[in-house]
Amino acid sequence: MVSPSCKLPLVVQSLSSYSIFCDHAVWIMKNGQGYAIGNTEKNKIGYKTPIDKLTSNTEIIIQNKKGHLCKFYSAVCGNNYTLYLTLDCSQLIISYYYHETLFLNINGRKIKALFGGCLSCAAIGTEGENYLITEAIYSLPNATINPIFLPENEKSVKIACLQYSFIFLSSSGRVFEFNVKNSKFVEFPELKNETIVDISGTFNSCLLISKEGKVFGRGRNTRKNTAKNMKTKLN
């Protein structure tokens, strides 16, 4: 774990999840305790730390609305935020740079997976619903986040969080992109005859891997941030 480079007394078998992005990292233990290291200024991890740049593992202390300490199941971090899932998988907690910590209202549903990118993050619920989270969440009444569903009853298994869109991999290997600006889904026609098994992306680019081992790229490649030998460039 490097963020920044340092030695941490971690027992890997005790880890539940970990996430690293740019200049800070968070990790969750199986007992529900969360820790952070790196740049944590301006409430980026959800509470005010003794110093803004942590050089040793520091426990994450967040209290719920009843004043009880939160226990965590997993977490993801990005350039300016940290997203947590509580131990009972029923509460999402988000903290963005320069904003207060929010307990998101998901109407009692359960979450099974978190995903993060540079500026946005997402979650998949146990009923197949998807929650997309950007800094705009702070303008929603009561921090209520409404789920969205993939077309044709497809179920998400992974989400790549890009700057202006989210890319979804379904359980059947189909790939959809959701544009934040027009709130519409589009399936990639170039992948009609491919079965995609994995996706990964952030900011402006995404890589997609097929069952046959072919690699496809999506998005900007001005700094050669996608594979040079990829099979196809998707516009």
Side-chain angles (χ1 to χ4, degrees):
M1 186 174 292
V2 184
S3 182
S5 177
C6 62
K7 294 182 179 180
L8 295 176
L10 287 177
V11 178
V12 176
Q13 293 83 353
S14 299
L15 277 175
S16 174
S17 76
Y18 69 91
S19 180
I20 305 169
F21 198 99
C22 197
D23 61 355
H24 84 291
V26 295
W27 61 97
I28 307 299
M29 311 303 290
K30 289 181 179 178
N31 64 4
Q33 290 179 305
Y35 294 89
I37 195 169
N39 187 346
T40 61
E41 64 179 339
K42 310 302 182 186
N43 202 44
K44 196 185 331 189
I45 65 167
Y47 84 106
K48 181 64 177 177
T49 54
I51 54 177
D52 288 339
K53 293 185 179 181
L54 305 175
T55 57
S56 62
N57 53 320
T58 300
E59 187 174 0
I60 298 166
I61 306 296
I62 298 178
Q63 293 182 327
N64 62 22
K65 296 178 180 179
K66 295 181 179 180
H68 301 149
L69 291 180
C70 292
K71 294 290 185 179
F72 308 105
Y73 178 75
S74 63
V76 293
C77 60
N79 185 63
N80 58 349
Y81 72 85
T82 307
L83 174 69
Y84 302 94
L85 176 62
T86 56
L87 193 58
D88 62 1
C89 297
S90 66
Q91 180 68 69
L92 291 172
I93 306 171
I94 183 73
S95 183
Y96 264 94
Y97 198 63
Y98 281 107
H99 289 290
E100 64 182 43
T101 301
L102 282 183
F103 288 76
L104 302 180
N105 180 10
I106 56 174
N107 295 313
R109 292 185 172 94
K110 295 279 188 176
I111 301 297
K112 66 178 182 181
L114 302 182
F115 301 89
C118 181
L119 303 174
S120 59
C121 48
I124 297 176
T126 56
E127 299 175 16
E129 76 278 20
N130 306 284
Y131 300 91
L132 309 183
I133 303 167
T134 68
E135 200 167 0
I137 190 70
Y138 285 89
S139 65
L140 298 180
N142 303 316
T144 299
I145 179 169
N146 294 319
I148 64 171
F149 295 84
L150 292 185
E152 302 174 24
N153 294 317
E154 290 283 338
K155 304 298 182 184
S156 302
V157 293
K158 284 195 173 182
I159 304 175
C161 307
L162 308 189
Q163 185 176 14
Y164 300 113
S165 67
F166 294 83
I167 296 178
F168 297 80
L169 173 62
S170 78
S171 57
S172 64
R174 297 170 66 183
V175 179
F176 300 86
E177 184 171 26
F178 183 83
N179 189 299
V180 175
K181 292 183 179 180
N182 61 23
S183 299
K184 292 183 179 180
F185 278 104
V186 176
E187 187 171 8
F188 293 172
E190 301 93 335
L191 300 177
K192 183 178 180 181
N193 298 318
E194 303 287 344
T195 300
I196 302 300
V197 296
D198 201 5
I199 62 174
S200 179
T202 185
F203 204 60
N204 287 322
S205 60
C206 179
L207 292 177
L208 309 94
I209 301 176
S210 74
K211 185 177 181 180
E212 292 74 25
K214 292 183 286 187
V215 179
F216 300 87
R218 172 78 174 185
R220 295 178 60 184
N221 195 30
T222 54
R223 297 185 180 179
K224 307 300 180 184
N225 50 349
T226 54
K228 290 183 179 180
N229 61 342
M230 61 189 174
K231 185 71 176 179
T232 303
K233 173 70 165 57
L234 307 179
N235 294 319

